[in-house]
């Protein structure tokens, strides 16, 4: 497939759409010819390249959440550490490409954060550019032989999520874990996330309720900082017919742990 | 007196007219008169000037409005108890609905879709929707329009920054832990890139008393390091969660630092 330019008009109907290349907005778009010929609709060759690259990865898990700030990245990091702690798992390095940064002997990490020049650097990118970066992370990083590849995502149901699902179509995703906090404002967005998973046929492994109660380190009493006013994640899981994986308490040590 | 302080006083007097109809016979009404007359004297005579100013600004809020441009998690209607309301839309006009206290609200989340509906849209589609949304909502006369945005510095935020040329400024909200502050710093870089004035940083879910949950002080440190105003802490309070189930307007204004409102008014 010809390279698709990122400089697209505002009213782009989307390259997968039937109107691609034919709508009024397409006039003057650098991709008009590609879209018109139906080439953009053809599967991206990167999907197969990614399959090749991830051949040695046994399990691929995507971490999602509806709302921001519910602890996705913290949970993902914990989960990765937890899996890597199991001594039976081994990671071998082979091939070439971008090398992930190894925080432990058997735990490699790749993030846009490594490509920034400082903590204040903002990645001010629109969708197509973000998709390009995700493609590179999956295709060009030398993941080698892995037992688990855990993919952390931003909140929402947009470019990043669609791209991950699309690029891993051939390689296959084991499923997704959805993170939420107990209050209804967070659950509202989780319901939308579940709808998204069903629409793109992403297997939901289950829902984790994070920040569920706070156990005082001194008196051991539990307080609900984010009260589950509508029954929390467990009740929502029943209603939506998905697995409830469990609760994680708010622990002040986690906040400190995230400060390197 | 600076022009600014005269304007502030003027604003107190304006609200004072409204209050005169409702509260002329209450302690609150009398205090407001006193503050409007001479803030310094009112303070010296033992009136909690800051507290009453906050209340007055809140009253004055009936010329305020709220636009929710978070497409994937449009929670503002729920927080205001308006989730069952469908916003009246005509061909190229959207009428905002009014909350109990008269705040006009428009959200992509209240266009009549089922609550489980996910808007699975890529960037270009979102750009179109937000632009349409910003241009078609009939706000009428407003003092302040607040725009709630999703996290990050992606499509939604870029669209708002590019399509509202006379944006007055932004407030960056963070929680105290270093991980959250790291992302807040990126929001400030974003504002600088687009020449948007940063009013300051608010530290939400701040735990100044026990320091056990997310800690405290992260937002303040970041403000210092980045040369921004620190607008204050909002306590981590479980009752706020209850309020967010449609009763946000019952919330005691004292949870919000006066400095946040003063930065805007």
């Amino acid at each position: 497939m010809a390279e698709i330019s990122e400089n697209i008009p505002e009213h782009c109907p989307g390259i997968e759409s039937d109107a691609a290349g034919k709508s009024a907005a397409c006039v003057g778009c650098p991709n008009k010819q590609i879209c018109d010929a139906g080439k953009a609709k053809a599967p991206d060759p990167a999907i197969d390249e990614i399959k090749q690259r991830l051949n040695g990865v046994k399990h691929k898990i995507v971490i999602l959440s509806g709302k921001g700030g519910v602890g996705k990245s913290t949970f993902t990091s914990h989960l990765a550490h937890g899996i890597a702690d199991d001594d039976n798992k081994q990671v071998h390095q082979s091939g070439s490409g971008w090398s992930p940064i190894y925080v432990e002997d058997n735990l490699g990490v790749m993030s846009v954060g490594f490509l920034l020049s400082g903590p204040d650097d903002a990645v001010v990118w629109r969708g197509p550019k973000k998709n390009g970066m995700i493609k590179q992370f999956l295709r060009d990083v030398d993941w080698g032989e892995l037992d688990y590849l855990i993919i952390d995502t931003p909140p929402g149901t947009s470019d990043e999520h669609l791209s991950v699902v699309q690029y891993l179509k051939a390689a296959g995703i084991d499923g997704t874990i959805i993170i939420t906090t107990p209050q209804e404002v967070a659950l509202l967005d989780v319901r939308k996330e579940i709808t998204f998973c069903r629409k793109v046929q992403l297997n939901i492994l289950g829902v984790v309720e994070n920040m569920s109660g706070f156990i005082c380190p001194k008196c051991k009493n539990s307080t609900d900082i984010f009260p589950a006013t509508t029954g929390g994640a467990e009740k929502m899981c029943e209603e939506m017919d998905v697995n409830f994986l469990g609760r994680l308490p708010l622990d002040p040590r986690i906040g400190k742990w995230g400060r390197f | 007196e600076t022009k600014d302080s005269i304007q502030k006083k003027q604003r107190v007097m304006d609200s004072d007219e409204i209050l005169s109809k409702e509260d002329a016979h209450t302690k609150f009404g009398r205090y407001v008169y006193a503050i409007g007359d001479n803030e310094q004297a009112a303070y010296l005579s033992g009136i909690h000037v800051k507290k009453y100013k906050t209340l007055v600004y809140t009253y004055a809020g009936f010329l305020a409005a709220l636009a929710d441009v978070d497409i994937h998690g449009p929670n503002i209607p729920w927080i205001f108890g308006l989730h069952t309301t469908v916003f009246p839309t005509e061909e190229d006009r959207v009428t905002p609905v009014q909350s109990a206290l008269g705040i006009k609200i428009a959200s992509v989340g209240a266009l009549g879709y089922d609550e489980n509906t996910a808007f699975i849209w890529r960037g270009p589609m979102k750009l179109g929707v937000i632009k349409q949304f910003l241009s078609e909502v009939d706000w009428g006369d407003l003092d302040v329009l607040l725009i709630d945005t999703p996290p990050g510095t992606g499509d939604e935020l870029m669209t708002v920054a590019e399509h509202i040329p006379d944006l007055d400024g932004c407030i960056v909200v963070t929680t105290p832990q270093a991980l959250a502050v790291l992302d807040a710093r990126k929001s400030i870089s974003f504002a600088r890139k687009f020449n948007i004035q940063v009013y300051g940083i608010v530290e939400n879910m701040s735990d100044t008393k026990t320091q056990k949950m997310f800690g405290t002080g992260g937002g303040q440190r970041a403000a210092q390091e980045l040369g921004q105003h620190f607008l204050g802490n909002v306590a981590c309070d479980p009752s706020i969660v209850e309020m967010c189930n449609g009763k946000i307007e019952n919330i005691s204004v004292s949870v919000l630092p006066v400095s946040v409102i003063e930065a805007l008014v």
Side-chain angles (χ1 to χ4, degrees), chain B residues 61-138:
Chain B
F62 61 65
L63 294 178
L66 187 50
D68 183 10
V69 302
D70 189 344
I71 287 173
H72 306 294
N75 297 339
I76 295 290
W78 172 272
I79 291 174
F80 277 86
L82 299 168
H83 54 289
T84 49
T85 317
V86 176
F87 286 39
T89 48
E90 286 163 39
E91 199 173 326
D92 53 357
R93 247 182 90 215
V94 177
T95 313
V97 282
Q98 296 217 349
S99 76
L101 284 182
I103 300 171
K104 288 180 179 173
I105 292 166
S107 165
V108 238
L111 298 172
Y113 293 94
D114 172 52
E115 61 164 14
N116 292 346
T117 306
F119 292 116
I120 308 171
W121 291 341
R122 288 189 180 270
M125 183 75 184
K126 290 197 276 191
L127 177 114
V129 170
I130 293 172
K131 262 176 72 179
Q132 195 181 9
F133 185 69
L134 292 174
S135 62
E136 289 179 0
V137 178
D138 190 6

Side-chain angles (χ1 to χ4, degrees), chain B:
Chain B
E1 275 181 319
T2 61
K3 194 177 155 226
D4 246 1
S5 74
I6 292 170
Q7 269 180 348
K8 265 185 197 167
K9 206 167 273 178
Q10 188 60 44
R11 181 57 62 91
V12 173
M13 293 302 281
D14 285 347
S15 349
D16 173 311
E17 280 167 24
I18 300 141
L19 291 163
S20 69
K21 290 183 184 127
E22 295 175 0
D23 289 288
H25 304 292
T26 62
K27 187 175 86 175
F28 178 71
R30 286 200 302 279
Y31 279 7
V32 173
Y33 276 118
I35 296 165
D37 189 39
N38 187 336
E39 201 176 310
Q40 191 68 19
Y43 178 74
L44 290 173
S45 60
I47 297 174
H48 195 327
V49 171
K50 277 195 161 187
K51 180 178 157 194
Y52 285 96
K53 266 171 79 182
T54 313
L55 285 165
V56 166
Y57 289 146
T58 315
Y59 267 81
F62 61 65
L63 294 178
L66 187 50
D68 183 10
V69 302
D70 189 344
I71 287 173
H72 306 294
N75 297 339
I76 295 290
W78 172 272
I79 291 174
F80 277 86
L82 299 168
H83 54 289
T84 49
T85 317
V86 176
F87 286 39
T89 48
E90 286 163 39
E91 199 173 326
D92 53 357
R93 247 182 90 215
V94 177
T95 313
V97 282
Q98 296 217 349
S99 76
L101 284 182
I103 300 171
K104 288 180 179 173
I105 292 166
S107 165
V108 238
L111 298 172
Y113 293 94
D114 172 52
E115 61 164 14
N116 292 346
T117 306
F119 292 116
I120 308 171
W121 291 341
R122 288 189 180 270
M125 183 75 184
K126 290 197 276 191
L127 177 114
V129 170
I130 293 172
K131 262 176 72 179
Q132 195 181 9
F133 185 69
L134 292 174
S135 62
E136 289 179 0
V137 178
D138 190 6
W139 292 111
D141 285 333
L142 287 180
D143 285 330
V144 180
L145 172 66
L146 297 176
I147 303 170
D148 188 27
T149 61
T153 55
D155 288 285
E156 292 91 338
L157 209 59
M158 286 171 81
T159 307
V160 167
E162 283 168 1
H163 290 90
I164 308 183
D166 52 351
L167 208 57
D168 284 276
C170 67
I171 293 178
V172 177
V173 182
T174 182
T175 47
Q177 69 280 42
L179 200 68
V181 171
L182 188 65
D183 293 351
R185 296 172 80 112
K186 294 178 171 44
S187 300
I188 287 168
S189 300
F190 175 90
R192 285 187 177 150
K193 212 167 198 166
F194 281 84
N195 289 320
I196 300 169
Q197 186 200 341
V198 181
Y199 286 121
I201 300 176
V202 176
E203 188 178 296
N204 194 14
M205 305 190 194
S206 183
D207 183 17
T208 44
K209 280 185 197 141
T210 59
Q211 301 232 354
K212 278 171 192 158
M213 274 142 342
F214 303 113
T216 186
Q220 191 156 18
R221 270 196 303 278
Q224 257 166 16
E225 282 172 34
L226 299 168
Q228 301 293 343
H229 291 289
F230 179 64
L231 298 179
N233 308 80
V234 180
C236 189
D237 183 347
S239 69
I240 295 178
V241 174
E242 184 59 50
M243 297 289 176
C244 283
N245 287 347
K247 296 186 278 287
I248 193 75
E249 288 172 313
N250 295 350
I251 213 160
S252 152
V253 276
S254 61
V255 302
L256 247 191
V258 184
S259 41
V260 177
I261 299 161
E262 278 187 341
L264 293 174
V265 183

